[in-house]
Amino acid sequence: MPSRSEVAYFGAGPASLPTAALEQAAASLLNHENQGLGLGEISHRSPTANKVIADAKAALVHLLDIPDSYDIIFMQGGGSGEFSAVVQNLVSAWVERRRRNAVAELGEAKDEEVLQRVREELEAMRVEYLVTGSWSLKASQEAARLLGPKYVNVALDARKFREGSRFGAIPDEQKWAGNLVKQKGASALTYFCDNETVDGVEFPAFPKCLDGNEETEAGDERIVVADMSSNFLSRSVDVKKYSVIFGGAQKNLGLPGITLLIIRNSLLSLTPPVAFMHSLSAQLPNAIPPVVFDFATLAKNNSLYNTLPIFNLYVATLVLQDLDRNCGARRIAAQQEVAERKAARIYAVLDKYEWKNGEGVYGVVPEKGARSRMNVCFRVKGGDEAEEKRFVKEAEGRGLLGVKGHRSVGGIRVSNYNAVGEESVERLCGFLKEFAEGPKGA
C-alpha cells in the first residue's frame, strides 16, 4: 500500500489537495477545535459555521482582490447546476430590469401595458455562448432545454474552425465576435468556459470583444459569465470584467459538494415578482430558479438558506488560507507563475518527442495558442489504443496516477492543478522521456 508521498496524482477531479490541509481537516472531522464534535456534526447555522464562511470569503477577497461591489456565495449543484442557475437567475434579472424600465415610462397602474412591453422586448432577448469544448457545449444545451433554442445564440462553435470538427482551438476573435448580439441590452448573458477540462483548451486571456461590460443606468451592459471550475485560483483575474464567476470546488479549491459563485451585487437586486414571471411562462418557460438556486435568496442568507456542507467548505477554507499564506503580497500572481512553470515543463517534453508523419510519440491535442495549463491532453503514437493502455499501465507502475483521458475523448490527460507539486511534475517528465526513448539498449 503506497503512502501519499509515493504517489503523484494527476486526476482531473476530484483532484489532489494539499496534504497539510487534509490532515487538519481530518482532525476537525473528528473533533473541531476541541469542541467534542466534528465539523460534519455541527449546525450549519452555528457561529462555528459562520466563521468558516467568513474565513473563506476573506481569503478569496485578498487572493483575487474582489471589490466590495461583489458578493461571494457558496452553494451546491456543481458546475452543471450552475449551467441552469445562471440562466434562470440572469434571465429573470433581465426581465426585471425591463419591467422596471417599462413601469418608469408607463406608470405604476399600467400592468397590462407593462406586461405587453416586456413581451415585445423578450422577442429579441438572447443568452449567448462561446462553445470551445465539452462543458461549454453542455452549458449551451442546458440553456436551450430550459428556454427553448430560439433564445440561445451560439456566437462561437470552435469545432467549425478546425479540421475534423473537433474541439482543440480558440479561433481569433475577428472570426466570431461579429456573431454576438449587436442590439444593446438584448443579451441576458454571455457565457464562456475559461478552461475546458475534457478537451485541454484554455482561453489565454479575457476575450477582448467582451470588454466594456461596466454597469450602466440603462442596463445595456454585457453580462459576462465565466465558468472557472478547473482553472480557478491558478492565475490573476480582473474580477471587474465579469458579472458572474462560478466553479465547482473539486479541482483547485476542495472537495466535491461545494460550488463557488462570485457575483456583482447589483444583479442580486433584480428579482422580478413571481406573478409577473408566471405571466410570461408561455413565452419564457423555466426561467424561475428553484429557491435553493436563487442567488438573491442565498446571498441574503449568507449561503445558509439550506444546509450547506460545512466540512466541505472548511476543506476549501484551509486550501485558500494555505494558498494565501504562500502567495503573500503578490496574491494569486505568485501561484500563476508556478502553474505556468509546471505546464511549460510538461509541454516541452511532449513537444520534444512530437508525433509527426508517423514518427515520434506524443501528439498534443489542442493547438498551441489554446493549450490549457491545467489539463494537458495528448495522444500516444497517433492515438494507438494499445500504446495508450501501455502508457497508463506503466505510469501507474511508477506511482503516476490519474493520467487516463476522459471517457468521451480517450487519450491521455495530465491535470496540473495547484496541489500537484513541482516534484511530481519532474517525476512525470522523467517518465515521459523514458517512455518516449524506450528501454536503454533496445
Side-chain angles (χ1 to χ4, degrees):
M1 182 74 67
S3 64
R4 284 183 67 86
S5 62
E6 294 174 302
V7 167
Y9 186 60
F10 300 95
S16 291
L17 293 171
T19 297
L22 288 179
E23 288 174 341
Q24 186 173 345
S28 286
L29 182 60
L30 182 64
N31 186 354
H32 182 66
E33 297 181 347
N34 295 316
Q35 295 182 26
L37 286 174
L39 268 180
E41 301 168 303
I42 66 164
S43 168
H44 64 294
R45 302 193 191 281
S46 65
T48 299
N50 277 274
K51 184 177 184 303
V52 171
I53 293 172
D55 288 347
K57 287 184 175 182
L60 279 165
V61 167
H62 183 256
L63 279 166
L64 296 177
D65 195 20
I66 301 175
D68 292 339
S69 54
Y70 286 75
D71 205 341
I72 300 169
I73 300 171
F74 301 106
M75 52 194 295
Q76 298 173 66
S80 294
E82 292 304 315
F83 295 165
S84 309
V86 295
V87 169
Q88 293 170 318
N89 279 274
L90 296 182
V91 167
S92 291
W94 186 94
V95 168
E96 176 59 7
R97 189 170 266 166
R98 270 70 203 164
R99 187 191 71 83
R100 292 181 187 181
N101 290 344
V103 168
E105 292 182 25
L106 301 173
E108 291 286 348
K110 303 286 186 178
D111 292 351
E112 284 302 317
E113 290 90 336
V114 167
L115 179 60
Q116 184 59 32
R117 169 78 67 83
V118 175
R119 280 176 173 163
E120 291 171 359
E121 292 181 343
L122 192 55
E123 287 301 307
M125 188 274 292
R126 295 292 183 270
V127 291
E128 304 193 85
Y129 287 82
L130 311 183
V131 175
T132 55
S134 301
W135 289 113
S136 49
L137 177 61
K138 288 185 177 183
S140 68
Q141 291 169 338
E142 176 63 1
R145 189 184 72 87
L146 290 172
L147 305 177
K150 67 173 282 188
Y151 291 111
V152 179
N153 174 38
V154 176
L156 165 64
D157 185 339
R159 294 172 296 182
K160 295 180 180 179
F161 295 87
R162 199 165 189 236
E163 185 180 349
S165 299
R166 293 175 292 119
F167 291 122
I170 298 178
D172 188 279
E173 292 181 32
Q174 294 181 350
K175 297 180 179 179
W176 55 265
N179 298 330
L180 292 165
V181 168
K182 297 175 180 61
Q183 182 177 334
K184 278 195 171 184
S187 176
L189 66 94
T190 304
Y191 163 100
F192 71 97
C193 183
D194 207 34
N195 184 79
E196 292 280 1
T197 320
V198 172
D199 306 282
V201 172
E202 183 176 28
F203 276 84
F206 185 85
K208 292 181 181 179
C209 62
L210 302 185
D211 261 330
N213 65 340
E214 292 80 8
E215 291 182 89
T216 67
E217 289 186 9
D220 56 9
E221 73 272 11
R222 184 172 294 280
I223 304 299
V224 177
V225 178
D227 177 353
M228 294 188 181
S229 291
S230 54
N231 67 349
F232 188 63
L233 300 174
S234 72
R235 66 180 178 188
S236 298
V237 171
D238 184 354
V239 174
K240 298 186 296 296
K241 289 181 178 290
Y242 305 83
S243 306
V244 175
I245 295 170
F246 73 82
Q250 63 274 15
K251 313 292 185 180
N252 276 332
L253 186 56
L255 300 175
I258 292 291
T259 307
L260 167 81
L261 186 86
I262 302 171
I263 183 169
R264 192 176 285 161
N265 283 328
S266 58
L267 291 170
L268 298 172
S269 66
L270 294 170
T271 302
V274 173
F276 190 83
M277 293 300 292
H278 286 167
S279 299
L280 297 173
S281 60
Q283 188 178 1
L284 188 67
N286 305 312
I288 302 176
V291 68
V292 294
F293 279 174
D294 184 87
F295 297 158
T297 298
L298 292 169
K300 182 180 178 181
N301 288 275
N302 192 31
S303 301
L304 296 174
Y305 176 80
N306 61 321
T307 306
L308 190 69
I310 294 299
F311 176 75
N312 299 49
L313 180 56
Y314 180 65
V315 173
T317 302
L318 294 176
V319 171
L320 286 165
Q321 291 175 334
D322 181 67
L323 185 60
D324 200 13
R325 283 191 297 270
N326 292 336
C327 290
R330 297 187 60 217
R331 307 192 187 193
I332 210 66
Q335 181 58 38
Q336 178 174 341
E337 285 186 4
V338 176
E340 291 175 352
R341 185 165 61 242
K342 291 189 297 174
R345 288 175 182 170
I346 298 170
Y347 282 119
V349 179
L350 295 175
D351 288 340
K352 179 179 179 181
Y353 299 99
E354 181 185 9
W355 171 263
K356 194 172 183 180
N357 300 322
E359 300 291 334
V361 180
Y362 306 120
V364 177
V365 174
E367 296 177 4
K368 283 191 176 182
R371 287 179 176 181
S372 168
R373 298 161 306 121
M374 295 289 102
N375 307 105
V376 180
C377 296
F378 59 96
R379 306 307 298 253
V380 177
K381 295 191 176 180
D384 185 292
E385 185 176 351
E387 285 296 293
E388 290 182 341
K389 285 183 178 179
R390 182 169 73 89
F391 180 94
V392 172
K393 184 177 179 180
E394 292 187 13
E396 290 175 348
R398 301 288 189 90
L400 306 172
L401 309 182
V403 300
K404 187 177 181 180
H406 191 274
R407 64 186 181 278
S408 65
V409 295
I412 310 297
R413 175 174 57 178
V414 171
S415 293
N416 177 39
Y417 298 131
N418 289 353
V420 175
E422 295 195 65
E423 68 284 354
S424 294
V425 169
E426 286 303 313
R427 285 177 59 186
L428 172 70
C429 289
F431 170 70
L432 287 169
K433 180 177 181 292
E434 291 174 18
F435 185 90
E437 295 181 352
K440 291 182 179 180

